[in-house]
């Protein structure tokens, strides 16, 4: 089973079924709309059964959203290990994968987590902060090897720049000020970031694949 189906690989089929349904509700309707009562009714099981597998709603939500972050890292690793694709194609597919994920997430989810589940929200920020250098460090280094990222770009500096930029841009307050959804914010940020990194040939290839 793919990590995107549930937040983590699980061996218990009941636990798996709960996570799939909870993930669908959470991402479609947000944190506040997800309830143990509603989830039990949808699954046709008792709340007692839910609590056997998850001691509370927040433990379930944390597993789902942190699994989302791990899935992003795994997807990037798999994609940039694919030797059948050129660098620009990988970059475009990564961008499409990320914006597609955010498109499926309720625009209110991160705001609700910030307000009503701050511990989970803080954990998300910590995981994102840790994962960005792993994902984007590889993107930059591979781009330089392919001649698509300018040689003058320092991978460590560029990765750190992106890490702090994306942490600020993905904050709910930023989206509110811009009037943009998370998928729009991420897409604009990545296009701007690539514009500063790529060589002329790299940018040409990136735009060609984007239009394909």
């Amino acid at each position: 089973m793919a990590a995107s189906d549930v937040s983590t690989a699980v061996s218990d089929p009941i636990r798996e079924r709960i996570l799939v349904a909870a993930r669908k509700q959470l991402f479609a309707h947000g944190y506040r709309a997800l309830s143990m009562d509603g989830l039990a009714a949808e699954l046709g099981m008792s709340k007692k059964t839910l609590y056997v597998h998850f001691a509370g709603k927040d433990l379930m939500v944390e597993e789902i959203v942190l699994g989302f972050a791990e899935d992003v890292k795994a997807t990037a690793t798999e994609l940039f290990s694919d030797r059948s694709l050129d660098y620009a194609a990988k970059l475009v597919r990564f961008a499409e994968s990320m914006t597609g994920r955010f498109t499926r997430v309720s625009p209110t989810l991160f705001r609700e987590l910030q307000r009503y589940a701050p511990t989970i929200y803080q954990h998300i920020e910590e995981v994102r902060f840790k994962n960005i250098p792993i994902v984007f460090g590889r993107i930059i280094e591979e781009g330089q090897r392919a001649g698509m990222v300018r040689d003058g770009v320092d991978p460590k500096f560029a990765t750190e720049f992106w890490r702090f930029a994306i942490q600020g841009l993905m904050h709910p307050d930023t989206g509110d000020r811009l009037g943009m959804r998370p998928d729009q914010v991420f897409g604009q940020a990545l296009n701007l970031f690539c514009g500063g990194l790529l060589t002329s040939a790299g940018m040409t290839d990136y735009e060609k694949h984007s239009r394909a």
Side-chain angles (χ1 to χ4, degrees):
M1 176 177 302
S4 57
D5 294 329
V6 295
S7 59
T8 58
V10 289
S11 57
D12 184 332
I14 297 177
R15 180 183 174 85
E16 178 179 335
R17 185 165 163 246
I18 293 169
L19 281 171
V20 169
R23 185 180 191 274
K24 182 178 179 181
Q25 283 195 21
L26 178 70
F27 286 178
H29 306 296
Y31 174 80
R32 296 183 71 190
L34 177 65
S35 72
M36 299 298 265
D37 286 327
L39 192 58
E42 178 183 337
L43 292 168
M45 63 178 61
S46 67
K47 283 177 62 178
K48 181 179 179 180
T49 302
L50 289 183
Y51 283 110
V52 166
H53 295 276
F54 296 96
K57 169 180 166 177
D58 280 3
L59 291 176
M60 183 190 304
V61 169
E62 184 166 31
E63 184 167 334
I64 292 168
V65 295
L66 294 181
F68 178 91
E70 286 304 306
D71 185 47
V72 168
K73 184 170 68 173
T75 297
T77 299
E78 181 179 357
L79 179 60
F80 282 90
S81 298
D82 188 345
R83 297 186 177 182
S84 69
L85 298 173
D86 64 30
Y87 179 75
K90 293 177 183 180
L91 196 57
V92 168
R93 290 194 186 187
F94 176 72
E96 291 174 345
S97 171
M98 289 298 298
T99 54
R101 281 181 169 85
F102 284 122
T103 299
R104 293 190 292 272
V105 173
S106 167
T108 65
L109 177 58
F110 295 110
R111 169 64 76 194
E112 289 183 349
L113 290 174
Q114 183 191 40
R115 288 178 176 172
Y116 305 111
T119 300
I120 297 176
Y121 182 80
Q122 180 61 35
H123 202 172
I124 293 169
E125 293 227 303
E126 290 168 358
V127 171
R128 184 194 296 142
F129 196 80
K130 180 181 71 175
N131 283 351
I132 283 174
I134 297 172
V135 174
F136 281 88
R138 178 166 186 172
I139 289 174
I140 295 167
E141 290 171 1
E142 182 167 332
Q144 287 184 324
R145 288 195 296 271
M148 296 296 178
V149 170
R150 294 186 291 111
D151 288 336
V153 172
D154 182 322
K156 289 184 178 179
F157 179 85
T159 300
E160 198 71 2
F161 180 88
W162 174 259
R163 175 155 66 176
F164 281 95
I166 205 65
Q167 286 286 80
L169 287 168
M170 295 305 292
H171 192 281
D173 288 347
T174 305
D176 289 347
R177 287 196 301 272
L178 295 172
M180 297 170 70
R181 301 186 310 269
D183 60 303
Q184 294 173 319
V185 171
F186 187 88
Q188 292 262 6
L190 188 60
N191 285 338
L192 185 61
F193 190 61
C194 289
L197 289 176
L198 300 179
T199 62
S200 296
M203 198 63 196
T204 297
D205 274 1
Y206 179 72
E207 290 174 345
K208 178 181 70 178
H209 282 289
S210 296
R211 292 192 297 268

